[in-house]
Amino acid sequence: MKKPGFMHTTVGDDLQRDSSPAYTNRLSRRDSLKLLAALAASTLLPALPGCEPVPTTSKVGKAAGTEHWPELKLPAIDAKGYGKDPNLILPPDAPWPLTLTPAQLTMLALISDILVPQEGSSPSASQVQVPSVVDEWVSAPYPSQQRDRLTILSALAWVDDEAKLRFDSPFTALTATEQLAIVDDIAYDNENTPSQFQRIAKAFARLRNLILAAYFCTPQGIKDIGYLGNVPIAGAYPGPTAEAYAHLDNTLAQLGLTEFAYPVA
């Protein structure tokens, strides 16, 4: 069976066939919406505006090493969302349609697993359905999500265009070494980032933050960082530890509020 891969020329293009395994969504809409809510409330995702690309005359050429940027014409998302007074007793199963194509999800799964690979008993990002959560995020009809939508789709299109410039193949058809070579060049935006990668590095940073935050909102990601959540304590509450008291006392001293410190029995 032929597998779909991602090929960018315009937003409405269909799939190019290659050997990459297609990403399979195994999340129900209710579960992906729960993760969307957790992601929106998470402090793991910095509250930064999306990296909205500005108009450019750069075109995709035949020589890598010069800046190129996809000029996407995204159709507007006009779903109304939950509104200001949602029905919490019988919420809709699908308040808005998902917008990423199977090809985009497959490419997103490859990038997600480069950022969060399987390690020991910890699953990779795609194994916990992070691409589906990202799809839910960029499909939501709210301003911050829609800014991210343009950023994320532009980043995916750029990566695919770069793969064709360097290796004459879409990103999903590259070897793992070739894929990593592209991601390494755009992984961070700092003083050492070449000028042709500065714009995509900013966009990729938002994609990276979204993937990581989505991963650590899943039950497997929460377990991976050792977060226990609300755990019942048998018997009387023992109170804060000595370390917690010391930290509080130090903070109060720095603020000039030592008089409000609780005495330790």
Side-chain angles (χ1 to χ4, degrees):
M1 182 178 69
K2 293 182 178 180
K3 306 294 185 180
F6 181 67
M7 179 178 181
H8 165 68
T9 52
T10 65
V11 175
D13 279 350
D14 205 344
L15 313 180
Q16 171 164 320
R17 305 297 178 180
D18 58 56
S19 58
S20 297
Y23 171 77
T24 301
N25 175 35
R26 298 186 301 274
L27 278 183
S28 69
R29 284 304 299 276
R30 188 170 294 271
D31 285 340
S32 63
L33 286 167
K34 288 179 181 177
L35 288 170
L36 171 69
L39 180 57
S42 174
T43 58
L44 294 170
L45 183 64
L48 300 175
C51 175
E52 298 184 55
V54 296
T56 176
T57 56
S58 298
K59 301 295 182 181
V60 176
K62 276 295 182 184
T66 58
E67 185 191 29
H68 56 87
W69 192 257
E71 300 294 342
L72 303 187
K73 302 297 183 182
L74 300 179
I77 291 181
D78 55 7
K80 295 182 179 180
Y82 280 109
K84 296 182 178 180
D85 188 22
N87 183 346
L88 298 180
I89 304 300
L90 295 172
D93 289 330
W96 51 76
L98 297 175
T99 57
L100 293 186
T101 66
Q104 290 168 329
L105 287 168
T106 296
M107 185 179 178
L108 185 57
L110 290 171
I111 294 174
S112 297
D113 285 354
I114 290 174
L115 298 175
V116 188
Q118 182 179 3
E119 184 175 340
S121 61
S122 299
S124 70
S126 70
Q127 289 173 328
V128 297
Q129 304 288 279
V130 162
S132 297
V133 182
V134 174
D135 191 7
E136 197 75 69
W137 181 270
V138 301
S139 301
Y142 304 115
S144 60
Q145 280 76 13
Q146 286 311 293
R147 287 193 297 270
D148 281 345
R149 177 179 176 232
L150 181 59
T151 301
I152 300 314
L153 292 186
S154 295
L156 291 177
W158 186 97
V159 169
D160 208 45
D161 289 338
E162 183 72 8
K164 296 170 197 169
L165 288 173
R166 293 195 196 188
F167 305 110
D168 292 323
S169 293
F171 186 80
T172 53
L174 302 184
T175 66
T177 299
E178 291 169 339
Q179 291 170 351
L180 189 59
I182 294 175
V183 172
D184 277 345
D185 282 339
I186 63 176
Y188 298 102
D189 177 30
N190 54 41
E191 65 276 5
N192 298 319
T193 304
S195 59
Q196 71 267 26
F197 297 140
Q198 289 175 1
R199 177 185 290 189
I200 179 58
K202 290 180 174 64
F204 191 79
R206 188 58 176 172
L207 175 58
R208 182 180 63 247
N209 288 342
L210 189 59
I211 289 170
L212 292 176
Y215 180 82
F216 289 113
C217 284
T218 65
Q220 297 89 339
I222 291 172
K223 179 181 178 181
D224 191 47
I225 59 177
Y227 177 67
L228 298 178
N230 295 323
V231 178
I233 297 175
Y237 174 56
T241 64
E243 291 80 7
Y245 273 119
H247 174 74
L248 178 60
D249 288 344
N250 181 58
T251 301
L252 290 173
Q254 291 177 0
L255 297 173
L257 300 173
T258 304
E259 61 183 298
F260 297 103
Y262 287 95
V264 179

